[in-house]
Amino acid sequence: MSAWMRWLLTGVASLAVFGLFVWLGELVLPWDRPERIGTGAGAGAVAAGVLVA
């Protein structure tokens, strides 16, 4: 597999992980909507960063 394909798959996977965390935050957390989305986005950004690293 070439390097650009690995980076493409890493980018797609990080976007999927980010979206999953935002969706789960919206679904599970009991707070108001802005706090749920903000918390999900923060956790998703950390998880996507770990995936890329």
Side-chain angles (χ1 to χ4, degrees), residues 18-45:
F18 180 79
L20 177 69
F21 272 77
V22 171
W23 178 73
L24 284 175
E26 178 69 21
L27 185 70
V28 174
L29 296 175
W31 310 314
D32 290 333
R33 184 174 183 150
E35 287 84 7
R36 290 190 309 242
I37 292 175
T39 302

